Amino acid sequence: MTDRPPNNYRDVVLAAPVSYGYSKQSDKPARWFIGSVLRELCRTAGIDKTAIDGAAISSFGLAPDSVSFLTQHYGISLRWLEQLPFGGASGVIALRRAARAVQCGDAEIVACIGGDSAAAGSFRELVADFSSFSNAAAYPYGAAGPNAPFALITAAYMERYGVTREAFGALAVAQRYNAQHYPAALLGDKPLSLDDYLNARPIAAPLHLFDCVMPCAGGEGFLVMREQRAIELGLAYVTIAAADERHNAFADDPVQLRSGWSEFGDQLYQRAGLGRADIDLVQTYDDYPVISALQLEGLGFFGEGEFNQFAASTATTFDGGGLPHNTSGGQLSGGQAGSAAGYLGVVETLRQLTGTAGANQVANARHGLVSGYGMINYDRGLCSTACILSRGGHHE
Amino acid sequence: MSEFIANTQLPLAVGTDSGPLLLQQCGECHAVSYPPRELCGHCLVDALSWQPQPDAGQLLATTTLHHSLEPALQQQLPIVIGSIKLAAGPVAIAYLSPPSAAIGSAVTVTIGRDSAGNPVLQARPTNPQEQQP
Ligand SMILES: [Zn+2]
């Protein structure tokens, strides 16, 4: 792989964070969630839908449609369109693709949207036929869906480094606290103590109930445009200090105890001109606490195998003065709305850095790191991403 | 009770309940590929065929499943499965029986049938004294 760094993202910004329609079940199709986010993006930015000339969209539930069909559903004409099937890595990848399109003049305003529904039984249908490798070599072994491979990763991580359930629990409990300050979080009305976490029933040991996300319906989105355009529209915005992605990194590792973050992490900070101490908040893709731990470790927030110490010594609540993490509760406390979950971290960071987060606002947040992880094909997630976002100029 | 049909693609003779470990091997570069695929995962040549492999492996991790999405498997819960680094090269997920094997211990892998008759990988501890109490 080349050592040549990618071009920077100068002049490109993100604006108009939208989270919409979270519910535990829904009979509406994914199209409804994506279209609703599109409408709310326009409303938030104060623009007509005709101003949007590009879109990057992710959903597990579009079939038989593709995103090209959505243009007719929503009555929009575009000159740039992407369908990004990267699950929990989709948000950062959408940001990267859209930023280049705007930077190169292929589009002026790109709507980046993840949305999915949650009809009864739809989760089983999704995981029972998720990928050819999973169908042949993972799902047949107990039909536990993603719980099985992630339980195996969790067991290996605990064995290798002596990581305790208490350490994972610390993340989960802090996220629940954050969710109690974010009204749209579906589990925000239920307090969670470390004892609750530790005494929960086993699902796929060592995974227990509060290690597993609740599938739900919802949508997330943001706009990508030139900085000048955001200023003209009077929008608060963030800039992209650096971003990167990997697919099938460290393919020869027998168990996934690291991924692309270990490969590009140092360069990410270098290109951003920032150190880890400059990061005011982090959003990881938390389909399971172990995956958040792998992201935090790979991105240098603690040394290899030192998760117990990190969890014991670092407050990860939004107002704890440590390292605010998954400040809206993440998926573990907010629900996993299919592909929208891959956009959640970007959208929440956008709210935080533009000072529009509400009761869970991190004080004086200037730089946020968003990490993504997606697409468990068989025994591991194949996509790993991260970006560093910085508070833009148009801000009090 | 609905049937559970799992297309593992593993070769196991009709009418037999177990057989030796066969995996796809490349006739060109001899690399072993798993999960099943159409082209060699190493050299990308269309030269894969199912060939006998050493049945040895090392247990990487185990999990005890208390929840299954398939009604046909739910009555067998809890189910213990493990991930195994095969001597042949790839990592495989397999049923683990007896279930009490320590991470890092040696396992022997064969092809058997699950309760619904699907051919599946099954692993057992190679040295029973390494089993946990
Ligand atoms: Zn080959």
Side-chain angles (χ1 to χ4, degrees), chain B residues 26-31 40-45 47-48:
Chain B
C26 179
E28 198 71 26
C29 75
H30 308 293
C40 172
H42 181 67
C43 73
L44 303 182
V45 170
L48 293 177

Side-chain angles (χ1 to χ4, degrees), chain A residues 123-181:
Chain A
F123 182 73
R124 196 207 72 86
E125 284 170 31
L126 176 68
V127 303
D129 188 22
F130 193 71
S131 76
S132 56
F133 273 14
S134 174
N135 294 358
Y139 191 75
Y141 298 88
N147 287 339
F150 286 107
L152 293 169
I153 290 173
T154 302
Y157 189 66
M158 293 172 78
E159 173 81 9
R160 170 83 69 90
Y161 298 121
V163 168
T164 62
R165 289 192 59 221
E166 283 79 359
F168 294 129
L171 287 189
V173 168
Q175 287 189 207
R176 185 60 59 91
Y177 174 83
N178 293 342
Q180 289 175 291
H181 297 78

Side-chain angles (χ1 to χ4, degrees), chain A:
Chain A
M1 206 171 283
T2 177
D3 288 334
R4 191 171 152 248
N7 294 346
N8 63 39
Y9 294 97
R10 190 173 299 137
D11 294 337
V12 182
V13 304
L14 277 56
V18 168
S19 302
Y20 190 82
Y22 273 72
S23 57
K24 291 182 180 177
Q25 276 204 355
S26 175
D27 295 328
K28 297 180 171 65
R31 288 188 304 270
W32 183 89
F33 290 89
I34 296 165
S36 297
V37 171
L38 179 64
R39 182 189 67 235
E40 295 305 309
L41 286 171
C42 292
R43 195 183 58 76
T44 304
I47 58 176
D48 189 79
K49 68 180 182 180
T50 55
I52 290 174
D53 59 354
I57 294 171
S58 303
S59 180
F60 288 117
L62 279 184
D65 295 332
S66 82
V67 294
S68 57
F69 301 148
L70 294 182
T71 59
Q72 205 167 21
H73 275 272
Y74 306 147
I76 51 176
S77 290
L78 305 176
R79 57 185 182 126
W80 186 91
L81 180 59
E82 284 270 17
Q83 181 159 3
L84 301 171
F86 301 113
S90 296
V92 175
I93 293 179
L95 172 164
R96 280 167 54 84
R97 302 289 184 277
R100 293 306 184 208
V102 167
Q103 203 171 35
C104 298
D106 290 342
E108 280 189 23
I109 299 182
V110 178
C112 298
I113 303 172
D116 264 304
S117 189
S122 62
F123 182 73
R124 196 207 72 86
E125 284 170 31
L126 176 68
V127 303
D129 188 22
F130 193 71
S131 76
S132 56
F133 273 14
S134 174
N135 294 358
Y139 191 75
Y141 298 88
N147 287 339
F150 286 107
L152 293 169
I153 290 173
T154 302
Y157 189 66
M158 293 172 78
E159 173 81 9
R160 170 83 69 90
Y161 298 121
V163 168
T164 62
R165 289 192 59 221
E166 283 79 359
F168 294 129
L171 287 189
V173 168
Q175 287 189 207
R176 185 60 59 91
Y177 174 83
N178 293 342
Q180 289 175 291
H181 297 78
Y182 177 66
L186 290 178
L187 298 172
D189 57 345
K190 295 185 178 68
L192 179 71
S193 70
L194 188 59
D195 276 347
D196 295 335
Y197 173 90
L198 293 172
N199 296 325
R201 64 185 166 90
I203 302 294
L207 298 180
H208 294 64
L209 183 63
F210 298 111
D211 293 306
C212 305
V213 293
M214 179 182 71
C216 71
E220 302 272 352
F222 55 90
L223 297 177
V224 178
M225 65 188 74
R226 287 195 171 277
E227 184 170 25
Q228 188 56 39
R229 189 68 183 267
I231 292 169
E232 287 164 10
L233 291 169
L235 298 175
Y237 60 85
V238 307
T239 59
I240 307 164
D244 218 329
E245 70 186 69
R246 292 290 186 276
H247 302 271
N248 201 21
F250 301 114
D252 293 332
D253 287 2
V255 184
Q256 185 174 48
L257 300 183
R258 59 179 177 171
S259 192
W261 314 292
S262 302
E263 199 169 281
F264 64 65
D266 286 343
Q267 298 155 31
L268 191 79
Y269 292 106
Q270 208 169 55
R271 296 205 298 273
L274 297 167
R276 285 160 188 82
D278 297 316
I279 302 299
D280 299 310
L281 57 105
V282 179
Q283 318 290 336
T284 64
Y285 188 79
D286 59 324
D287 49 355
Y288 298 84
V290 69
I291 300 303
S292 291
L294 295 190
Q295 288 159 83
L296 293 168
E297 184 175 308
L299 290 162
F301 292 101
F302 55 88
E304 183 185 341
E306 294 174 0
F307 180 53
N308 283 343
Q309 296 90 312
F310 171 84
S313 64
T314 310
T316 55
T317 49
F318 75 93
D319 59 356
L323 182 68
H325 171 248
N326 289 359
T327 47
S328 62
Q331 304 170 63
L332 284 169
S333 283
Q336 181 183 56
S339 286
Y343 288 67
L344 186 160
V346 175
V347 173
E348 168 63 8
T349 302
L350 191 42
R351 275 192 294 263
Q352 290 286 348
L353 296 179
T354 53
T356 56
N360 62 331
Q361 178 71 49
V362 174
N364 195 30
R366 296 157 305 145
H367 307 289
L369 190 148
V370 186
S371 176
Y373 172 87
M375 302 314 274
I376 185 129
N377 187 34
Y378 165 50
D379 63 336
R380 65 194 66 196
L382 295 179
C383 315
S384 50
T385 65
C387 67
I388 297 173
L389 304 177
S390 297
R391 190 164 65 182
H394 182 77
H395 193 276
E396 301 310 311

Side-chain angles (χ1 to χ4, degrees), chain A residues 123-124 127-128 132-149 151-153 155-156 159 201-207 252-255 378-380, chain B residues 4 6-10 34-38 60-71 73 77 79 81-83 85 91-95 103-104 114 119-122:
Chain A
F123 182 73
R124 196 207 72 86
V127 303
S132 56
F133 273 14
S134 174
N135 294 358
Y139 191 75
Y141 298 88
N147 287 339
L152 293 169
I153 290 173
E159 173 81 9
R201 64 185 166 90
I203 302 294
L207 298 180
D252 293 332
D253 287 2
V255 184
Y378 165 50
D379 63 336
R380 65 194 66 196
Chain B
F4 176 50
N7 185 16
T8 62
Q9 304 178 42
L10 293 167
Y34 186 81
R37 65 199 70 182
E38 296 75 32
L60 298 169
T62 67
T63 174
T64 304
L65 306 176
H66 296 269
H67 186 259
S68 174
L69 293 162
E70 293 294 336
L73 299 181
L77 295 171
I79 293 170
I81 63 172
S83 54
K85 174 66 175 170
V91 170
I93 293 172
Y95 281 105
I103 291 179
D114 68 11
V120 291
L121 295 177
Q122 292 179 335

Side-chain angles (χ1 to χ4, degrees), chain B residues 8-52:
Chain B
T8 62
Q9 304 178 42
L10 293 167
L12 184 60
V14 175
T16 60
D17 286 335
S18 66
L21 180 64
L22 278 74
L23 296 172
Q24 288 179 308
Q25 190 162 12
C26 179
E28 198 71 26
C29 75
H30 308 293
V32 175
S33 288
Y34 186 81
R37 65 199 70 182
E38 296 75 32
L39 300 174
C40 172
H42 181 67
C43 73
L44 303 182
V45 170
D46 182 6
L48 293 177
S49 62
W50 293 90
Q51 300 294 333

